Amino acid sequence: MNAVVIAVVVMLILSLMRVNVVLALVAGAIVGGLTGGLSLNETIVSFTGGLGEGATIAISYALLAGFAVAISKTGIPQLLVSAMLRFVQKEGGSDRAALGKVLLVFILLLMAVFSQNLIPIHIAFIPLLVPPILHILNLLKVDRRLIASVLTFGLTAPYILLPFGYGFIFHEILAKQMKLAGLAIDMADIPKAMAFPVFGMLVGLLVAIFFSYRKPREYADKSIGVTEEVIVVHKRTIFFTVAALIGTLAVQIPTQSMIAGAVTGIFILYITGALKWKEADGLINEGMRMMAFVGFVMIAANGFAAVLQDTGHILSLVEAASTALGDHKGMAAFAMLFIGLIVTMGIGSSFATIPIIASIFVPLSMAFGFSAMATIALMGTAAALGDAGSPASDSTLGPTAGLNADGQHNHIWDSCVPTFLHFNIPLLVFGWLAVMFFN
């Protein structure tokens, strides 16, 4: 029995049974380590040794969330929400409500896309924008599974396809690891190879919007601390808030450090007075609490990944698949994609998956006679598979953090399952078709 498969299956089953994701990751890691031949002590040492890899990500998200909450208290997001609320509540019946729903979906999708490529703040915009609009979503009876699907698409598809912002990092890691594994490629070929798999994700998004979650869904309109009072925002506050956002990007982009960017933004709000000193500590803490769950899951996921790597069963899984498949290219491509799905579902990060699978998949692809473009499509899709539906992925944890602000959105059944069905399955199918096309 392969330790990787068993560990991931245990983690997923426990998560589906509504066991806390952090506990599910710990349990999966222990079962996987023991199955892979490690002693209990070795498994614990491996798990705890890997936890440090997730600390940077956890602190980054906590600080960015604190920055987002600080901005939200300036009143600017509430102005947007108030304008949208007035639009929805005006006379016009179902037509205006339908238009309001379309605008909400479009704005959230646009923000998610921008957060990856144009304004690389990743999931930090979610606690800034999503909780204040929950009242409007309730008013329009929008199924939050739809919003989770829209956000997850915007958080994943752009970086897979476009070489800007986080997309540049993903493409750079992909090209670098493939070169180290023995196949040098041109980064300009990555968008061409990944266009068809991303098109599959777009198909899944359209299915979610127009078929799966288009029916109204009722939610209790609970208070989450967002008031509907008239908010006066001075031009000075708007100016300094924009300056804080620009300062964040100006530092984050060249340093590639979300921590440095978030601290810069918070510092600008402090010194300009846009954020009151007496409120600052409480606001930063509020943002950190909002993203604490995300941080703990990301840390635990790194420990889980360390155990899987130390068992050596990722390599044995690929070797067993290649031996069983012989010379059948189509089955080989599907098997490697499926293995990528399993690994990424467990680790929760497509970025972290690439170094793990590149050293195995690239030589295997070359042995099967796949072209360079086919190998790019195979590697890119295998790495991206599982990112959308994984309980440990920030692409699902981020939407949950915003949509569950009032306690009515379950992480597994309302974020992970919908995004797995609508994105991972099409990505698997269209990724396989891309490999076959370029072969």
Side-chain angles (χ1 to χ4, degrees):
M1 297 295 289
N2 187 273
V4 176
V5 176
I6 292 175
V8 172
V9 168
V10 168
M11 183 270 291
L12 292 177
I13 290 176
L14 290 175
S15 296
L16 290 170
M17 293 172 63
R18 298 180 186 269
V19 173
N20 183 276
V21 176
V22 175
L23 295 178
L25 284 164
V26 174
I30 292 173
V31 172
L34 295 176
T35 306
L38 302 178
S39 67
L40 179 60
N41 185 60
E42 288 173 333
T43 301
I44 293 173
V45 169
S46 177
F47 183 84
T48 54
L51 296 179
E53 296 297 323
T56 300
I57 298 174
I59 294 175
S60 299
Y61 289 170
L63 287 173
L64 281 170
F67 179 47
V69 170
I71 290 178
S72 72
K73 295 303 180 181
T74 64
I76 294 175
Q78 285 82 349
L79 286 179
L80 174 62
V81 172
S82 298
M84 295 175 68
L85 192 59
R86 287 194 299 271
F87 175 84
V88 171
Q89 290 179 330
K90 281 184 180 179
E91 296 183 2
S94 59
D95 290 341
R96 186 171 289 275
L99 182 57
K101 182 176 178 180
V102 171
L103 284 174
L104 272 174
V105 169
F106 178 75
I107 289 171
L108 290 174
L109 177 60
L110 202 64
M111 282 299 300
V113 171
F114 283 175
S115 74
Q116 300 303 299
N117 302 120
L118 185 62
I119 310 173
I121 57 173
H122 200 36
I123 61 174
F125 79 94
I126 293 176
L128 171 67
L129 190 60
V130 174
I133 67 171
L134 290 181
H135 173 62
I136 301 177
L137 293 176
N138 295 340
L139 193 67
L140 296 174
K141 299 179 181 180
V142 176
D143 193 326
R144 294 187 192 180
R145 293 173 295 179
L146 167 62
I147 302 301
S149 299
V150 168
L151 290 173
T152 300
F153 175 86
L155 291 170
T156 53
Y159 80 72
I160 297 171
L161 180 64
L162 303 174
F164 308 106
Y166 287 107
F168 179 82
I169 299 173
F170 180 78
H171 290 196
E172 187 177 44
I173 294 173
L174 185 60
K176 179 181 178 181
Q177 293 300 321
M178 288 182 68
K179 182 178 180 179
L180 290 174
L183 180 61
I185 63 168
D186 186 348
M187 278 184 60
D189 289 333
I190 296 177
K192 303 172 189 174
M194 295 305 298
F196 204 50
V198 171
F199 176 74
M201 294 186 70
L202 178 60
V203 171
L205 176 65
L206 295 176
V207 170
I209 293 174
F210 294 107
F211 295 98
S212 303
Y213 307 123
R214 69 187 183 97
K215 292 183 179 180
R217 190 177 185 185
E218 299 278 354
Y219 294 90
D221 204 18
K222 298 181 181 180
S223 173
I224 56 172
V226 178
T227 62
E228 296 179 20
E229 61 191 33
V230 177
I231 299 171
V232 178
V233 181
H234 298 289
K235 292 180 179 179
R236 176 178 174 276
T237 301
I238 296 175
F239 175 80
F240 288 132
T241 302
V242 172
L245 289 169
I246 294 173
T248 300
L249 296 177
V251 172
Q252 180 180 327
I253 291 173
T255 63
Q256 294 296 319
S257 171
M258 289 188 286
I259 294 176
V263 170
T264 300
I266 293 171
F267 183 69
I268 292 174
L269 290 178
Y270 264 120
I271 62 175
T272 59
L275 181 62
K276 296 179 181 178
W277 282 87
K278 63 180 180 180
E279 297 178 354
D281 185 56
L283 293 178
I284 303 301
N285 287 338
E286 181 184 341
M288 288 183 174
R289 282 195 298 270
M290 186 179 295
M291 297 299 283
F293 174 67
V294 177
F296 280 122
V297 173
M298 297 299 291
I299 291 172
N302 278 271
F304 183 91
V307 173
L308 295 189
Q309 288 182 272
D310 288 347
T311 62
H313 277 220
I314 295 176
L315 177 59
S316 63
L317 179 61
V318 177
E319 289 176 343
S322 61
T323 301
L325 294 170
D327 296 326
H328 199 296
K329 289 186 177 181
M331 290 298 295
F334 184 83
M336 283 190 278
L337 289 173
F338 190 73
I339 290 170
L341 172 63
I342 293 173
V343 174
T344 312
M345 284 289 288
I347 295 174
S349 169
S350 57
F351 291 76
T353 302
I354 295 174
I356 296 174
I357 63 176
S359 60
I360 308 167
F361 278 18
V362 172
L364 198 58
S365 299
M366 295 170 70
F368 273 104
F370 289 130
S371 67
M373 288 291 287
T375 305
I376 294 172
L378 177 64
M379 276 294 305
T381 305
L385 267 167
D387 196 5
S390 172
S393 170
D394 47 11
S395 299
T396 56
L397 288 164
T400 297
L403 293 168
N404 194 42
D406 60 357
Q408 298 186 81
H409 185 86
N410 181 264
H411 177 57
I412 300 300
W413 291 103
D414 294 332
S415 285
C416 296
V417 173
T419 54
F420 179 89
L421 295 174
H422 290 89
F423 301 132
N424 285 335
I425 293 177
L427 194 57
L428 183 64
V429 174
F430 281 79
W432 181 84
L433 291 174
V435 174
M436 293 296 98
F437 174 79
F438 288 117
N439 184 45

